[in-house]
DNA sequence: CCTTCGGTGAAACAAAGTTGCATAGAACGC
DNA sequence: GCGTTCTATGCAACTTTGTTTCACCGAAGG
């Protein structure tokens, strides 16, 4: 285990232009919900033998279609109860400075998700902290201490209505 | 398996006030990164036997600390390439109407995450769609078709810089 | 028509998860 | 202080699951 995760998923190389057939999609659909499902059970669900399922999973894993297998933890249980959204607007949008910002935001463990977006803001962060005091300290370090941050808007989550990373698998 | 997932995690009953010791936190830290890690390996990492690890995982699962075990899929591989943020502002904030909105948003498969927040907006949605045309259709159905939606602002993600649900496990 | 290649299922095998049991330590009451 | 109880542990057997091997089938192409 010498992989260097900055925390969060490394978002590896873009998946090779793999063609996913109906079997693959059905398998992914199951794994997205519960990746502890036995391959035999998956096999029955999709009408395939266990080894066939296993080969497909292995292929999709090496191809980067399956990026990670993780447990989802209740933040409350860890005392990390507050989820916060931040829209960040930067002053200078040169490529170098954007990359710099990406690296800075990603490096913070409390930053669960970070997106570079178009629109009224440049970055959107999803942050999880134990208390508002911690968030306050974080803003001081991350935003006020960064002279390329023009403005940021904070939204505090009162309810995590739906949380997931599941992607619709339908061919639609 | 007769659980009824609306898609996304059901966010079960609030975890009982379980006390998590250092062992638990270390185990969670590992499972958050890779829940395919053998229990024996985890045991070595935390200085515990495999059955001990297994019992703790089982307890945390039934207690709701571990909410789900899932595979993380690359949206690109499924042709669901566009990630979009939406800030939704509603007109009337009665309890009933908020609950109604929560249900409506949660029911949509393309809505990966939905939060009820304080601040300039009421809801924040994270949506994944194959194309802008699909998003346009979705807005028509979800926002313009809902007469309690006052306003919504869209942000399109150009880069998923960091994506994860990992919660810091440090006792801090 | 034959060959090749990708994919499959059945069976054997290896590795992981799971259970039962005896034990060690902490908290408590006597 | 002594014994009881409760909790959690490790070890070892056991079960389930993942993995590999191999022969076979069907489609694509010469």
């Amino acid at each position: 285990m010498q992989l260097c995760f900055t925390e969060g998923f490394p978002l590896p190389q873009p998946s090779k232009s793999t063609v996913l057939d109906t079997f693959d999609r059905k398998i992914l659909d199951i794994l997205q919900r519960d990746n502890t499902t036995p391959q035999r059970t998956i096999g029955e669900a999709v009408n395939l033998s266990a080894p066939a399922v296993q080969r497909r999973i292995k292929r999709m894993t090496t191809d980067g279609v399956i990026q990670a297998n993780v447990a989802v933890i209740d933040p409350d249980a860890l005392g990390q109860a507050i989820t916060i959204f931040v829209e960040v607007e930067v002053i200078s949008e040169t490529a170098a400075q954007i990359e710099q910002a990406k690296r800075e935001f990603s490096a913070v463990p409390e930053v669960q998700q970070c997106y570079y977006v178009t629109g009224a803001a440049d970055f959107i962060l999803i942050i999880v902290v134990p208390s508002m005091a911690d968030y306050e300290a974080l803003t001081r370090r991350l935003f006020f201490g960064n002279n390329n941050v023009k403005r940021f808007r904070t939204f505090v989550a009162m309810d995590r209505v739906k949380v997931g990373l599941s992607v619709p698998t339908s061919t639609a």
Side-chain angles (χ1 to χ4, degrees), chain A:
Chain A
M1 180 61 93
Q2 51 183 355
L3 290 175
C4 176
F5 288 157
T6 329
E7 185 58 42
F9 317 126
L11 298 179
Q13 65 286 352
S15 55
K16 295 156 192 168
S17 55
T18 317
V19 186
L20 301 180
D21 60 17
T22 311
F23 285 132
D24 291 323
R25 289 176 184 273
K26 282 185 184 173
I27 293 172
L28 289 178
D29 195 45
I30 294 171
L31 292 181
Q32 270 194 133
R33 294 193 168 73
D34 181 7
N35 69 356
T36 65
T37 311
Q39 295 174 349
R40 291 155 212 254
T41 308
I42 299 177
E44 292 170 16
V46 303
N47 278 323
L48 230 51
S49 72
V53 172
Q54 127 93 346
R55 279 186 289 265
R56 284 166 179 272
I57 293 177
K58 188 176 180 182
R59 173 173 51 79
M60 291 191 284
T61 302
T62 58
D63 286 0
V65 175
I66 298 175
Q67 296 186 326
N69 289 283
V70 304
V72 180
I73 312 295
D74 180 10
D76 290 2
L78 290 167
Q80 307 273 348
I82 308 181
T83 301
I84 293 174
F85 293 78
V86 193
E87 292 176 16
V88 182
E89 203 174 331
V90 297
I91 296 171
S92 163
E93 256 191 285
T94 67
Q97 287 191 295
I98 292 300
E99 288 308 316
Q100 168 72 8
K102 286 183 184 177
R103 264 180 278 117
E104 279 180 18
F105 293 147
S106 296
V108 180
E110 288 88 351
V111 174
Q112 277 198 356
Q113 302 174 38
C114 170
Y115 300 85
Y116 179 46
V117 301
T118 68
D122 298 306
F123 286 95
I124 290 183
L125 307 180
I126 300 182
I127 292 174
V128 174
V129 286
S131 71
M132 283 309 287
D134 291 274
Y135 176 62
E136 207 266 332
L138 194 61
T139 59
R140 203 180 302 276
R141 183 155 52 89
L142 212 51
F143 306 135
F144 293 120
N146 185 330
N147 53 21
N148 193 35
V149 171
K150 186 196 297 180
R151 210 163 49 81
F152 68 96
R153 292 209 305 167
T154 298
F155 301 85
V156 179
M158 291 185 287
D159 188 9
R160 294 162 41 106
V161 180
K162 177 177 181 177
V163 179
L165 295 173
S166 294
V167 183
T169 50
S170 59
T171 322

